[in-house]
Amino acid sequence: MSTFQEGVMDHFIMLSEKIGCRPVGSKANDAAADYIEKIFRNAGLVVEKQEFEVPAWHLNETNLEFNGETLEAKGNNFSEACEVSGEIVPFCTLEELESSSYLGGNIAFLYGELSKENYVPKGFTIYNPDHHQKTLKLLEEKNPSAIIFVRMEKGENLPIINDWDFSIPSLTISPEVGLKIMNDYQRSSATCKIHSKRNKGWTKNIIGRKQGQGKEKIILAAHYDTVFETNGAYDNASGIAILLSLVEEISRRKDWKVGFEFIAFSSEEYLGLGDEYYLREHKGSLEDAILALNFDGVGQTLGTNNITLMGGSDELEIYLRNIKREFPAVQWTLPWYESNHYTFFSNGVPSIPFSSSGVRDLIHTKDDTIQWMNESKLNEVRVFALEIIEGLQGKSNVWTRKKQASI
């Protein structure tokens, strides 16, 4: 086993097991940032830290009392604290909610079409469906005292709202609990108690740079933050472990012509704030980027690592597909947008997102742990990425970028 393959696992275990759950604003998030910075500095990179404000939120307890019984519920991430009682008013469509009267003093009960998927935070600009925005706006206008969301997967009450800009207290319940309430809501009111605390917190992007012979650079990125209540092994200790291993391998070699920029993003899980702060200061430098590689959710034992190209030239795609022939267990997939690579792709930089298909319901759950991950699968991505980088020495951003059609 190579030193660098061992390094992938060392970094992976540190992030997913020793540090563990690392949401923005938490001590564990700080610990992960410190660890990444240490690896960057030990590799001789020039390090920049972009610090920005986020909530430091903690949930102590959630109680839902209905018909003389305490039911299992979970406060949605970043929910305001509350202790409110009121009649339950159910809604299953946007039209139904839109036609309702003012809900002040009542508890809105959202199920069916209104709770079939997680809501994108209000302030997230990369992707924000109209029906999400409209639903949240209507809820704010109707102003219920609290909101109960029914998670539409049996046995699950994972938070449906993850938005610190949404001020109405809310919680999520399983469909089993939802059924109990729906069958009897007209005869009983409910009491929602969410004991949470929110203070000012901070998180940061960690950026490391290695100068090349000229201005041109290759960008490698991954996010290190998680949602709450998960070790985030797959999402995304896997990506950061590969990033750090590549930092160590690339920094020890002196034969590079191009420069490198390594970015460990935070707040990818909440609003993409890390990307926003990066662009505020460095958007202009993206003109010098030959390529961006992003690592997000790779290496599942029962998964297939995948790759695609977004915004690259025909010559670059041919080059990548030729390399992929050496990796028959890697799947070429359709473009997708929900990670940090979108920041580069949307600003004209050819982008390669590495991810994987596998056990889907691991993401954002307590089950996202090391037991589902595979060392060889992680190393497969590391070797593939390194081969891409090696073959681009001497290439320019003119060669990699999609050619504009002549008029």
Side-chain angles (χ1 to χ4, degrees):
M1 184 184 297
S2 73
T3 300
F4 299 113
Q5 185 171 347
E6 292 173 348
V8 170
M9 290 309 297
D10 289 343
H11 299 314
F12 179 70
I13 291 168
M14 172 60 74
L15 288 155
S16 65
E17 295 292 298
K18 296 181 180 179
I19 295 176
C21 183
R22 44 200 184 277
V24 294
S26 68
K27 291 181 179 179
N29 186 270
D30 290 339
D34 291 344
Y35 177 74
I36 293 164
E37 181 184 354
K38 177 183 175 182
I39 300 301
F40 280 12
R41 292 194 185 279
N42 287 347
L45 303 182
V46 177
V47 176
E48 175 190 357
K49 295 184 287 186
Q50 291 183 308
E51 191 171 49
F52 49 94
E53 185 179 334
V54 292
W57 181 84
H58 180 74
L59 178 65
N60 294 311
E61 186 180 18
T62 305
N63 286 318
L64 174 58
E65 297 174 7
F66 175 77
N67 205 16
E69 184 179 359
T70 299
L71 303 177
E72 186 176 355
K74 182 173 291 184
N76 284 320
N77 295 335
F78 303 110
S79 174
E80 298 281 358
C82 75
E83 186 167 339
V84 298
S85 298
E87 294 184 1
I88 289 177
V89 185
F91 303 97
C92 68
T93 66
L94 190 58
E95 291 78 12
E96 194 177 22
L97 178 61
E98 194 169 21
S99 64
S100 72
S101 57
Y102 182 71
L103 294 172
N106 295 313
I107 297 172
F109 181 90
L110 271 58
Y111 68 104
E113 282 293 314
L114 293 180
S115 67
K116 68 179 182 180
E117 61 192 1
N118 289 359
Y119 280 80
V120 176
K122 291 163 53 181
F124 193 63
T125 57
I126 293 175
Y127 168 75
N128 206 323
D130 288 342
H131 64 283
H132 287 196
Q133 297 179 57
K134 191 169 184 179
T135 301
L136 295 180
K137 184 178 180 182
L138 281 170
L139 287 168
E140 290 174 329
E141 291 173 356
K142 307 293 184 180
N143 196 31
S145 298
I147 305 168
I148 298 172
F149 290 90
V150 182
R151 169 66 69 176
M152 303 303 288
E153 291 118 11
K154 288 176 63 179
E156 295 291 347
N157 62 1
L158 295 173
I160 286 179
I161 292 283
N162 301 275
D163 190 350
W164 60 66
D165 290 325
F166 187 67
S167 60
I168 302 172
S170 67
L171 53 85
T172 298
I173 58 176
S174 69
E176 291 84 352
V177 173
L179 189 61
K180 183 175 291 190
I181 293 174
M182 194 65 179
N183 285 337
D184 213 19
Y185 76 91
Q186 292 177 325
R187 295 195 297 164
S188 179
S189 62
T191 299
C192 297
K193 299 178 182 178
I194 301 173
H195 298 159
S196 62
K197 183 179 292 185
R198 187 163 73 174
N199 297 310
K200 181 186 291 188
W202 302 91
T203 191
K204 59 180 77 71
N205 296 331
I206 311 296
I207 305 170
R209 297 183 176 90
K210 178 179 175 63
Q211 183 62 47
Q213 296 177 4
K215 294 193 304 180
E216 292 183 327
K217 62 184 178 182
I218 293 174
I219 298 171
L220 297 93
H223 76 89
Y224 67 89
D225 63 308
T226 68
V227 299
F228 293 89
E229 298 185 38
T230 180
N231 278 13
Y234 175 55
D235 184 21
N236 187 37
S238 63
I240 284 290
I242 290 167
L243 179 72
L244 295 179
S245 180
L246 288 169
V247 164
E248 293 171 327
E249 189 159 2
I250 288 169
S251 68
R252 293 178 193 181
R253 290 173 48 175
K254 308 299 182 184
D255 57 337
W256 304 111
K257 296 178 181 179
V258 69
F260 292 92
E261 183 170 275
F262 304 92
I263 311 169
F265 282 105
S266 190
S267 199
E268 188 270 354
E269 299 289 3
Y270 299 110
L271 295 178
L273 289 181
D275 298 76
E276 181 180 323
Y277 277 88
Y278 174 84
L279 287 176
R280 284 185 190 180
E281 297 184 21
H282 301 300
K283 184 174 181 178
S285 73
L286 294 181
E287 296 177 0
D288 302 324
I290 294 175
L291 183 70
L293 295 87
N294 184 51
F295 308 97
D296 192 355
V298 296
Q300 271 197 45
T301 302
L302 297 177
T304 301
N305 287 324
N306 57 52
I307 184 177
T308 193
L309 173 64
M310 299 171 63
S313 65
D314 292 342
E315 293 85 355
L316 177 58
E317 180 169 342
I318 292 168
Y319 165 72
L320 292 175
R321 286 185 180 273
N322 284 335
I323 294 177
K324 204 209 80 63
R325 292 193 183 98
E326 302 172 25
F327 299 86
V330 176
Q331 179 74 28
W332 187 280
T333 191
L334 294 173
W336 57 285
Y337 305 94
E338 298 85 5
S339 188
N340 302 105
H341 59 275
Y342 182 84
T343 291
F344 306 108
F345 162 72
S346 62
N347 284 280
V349 180
S351 299
I352 301 174
F354 281 91
S355 189
S356 66
S357 57
V359 182
R360 295 180 181 179
D361 55 0
L362 289 181
I363 295 177
H364 298 173
T365 73
K366 64 181 183 301
D367 296 320
D368 184 3
T369 60
I370 195 171
Q371 68 173 332
W372 294 97
M373 305 301 291
N374 183 276
E375 183 174 351
S376 295
K377 293 276 189 177
L378 290 170
N379 190 56
E380 179 179 61
V381 173
R382 180 189 68 83
V383 175
F384 197 156
L386 188 63
E387 189 162 337
I388 291 171
I389 291 165
E390 288 172 338
L392 289 177
Q393 301 307 302
K395 299 294 186 184
S396 70
N397 56 10
V398 174
W399 186 85
T400 61
R401 298 193 179 209
K402 186 180 287 291
K403 307 301 185 289
Q404 298 296 321
S406 57
I407 299 175

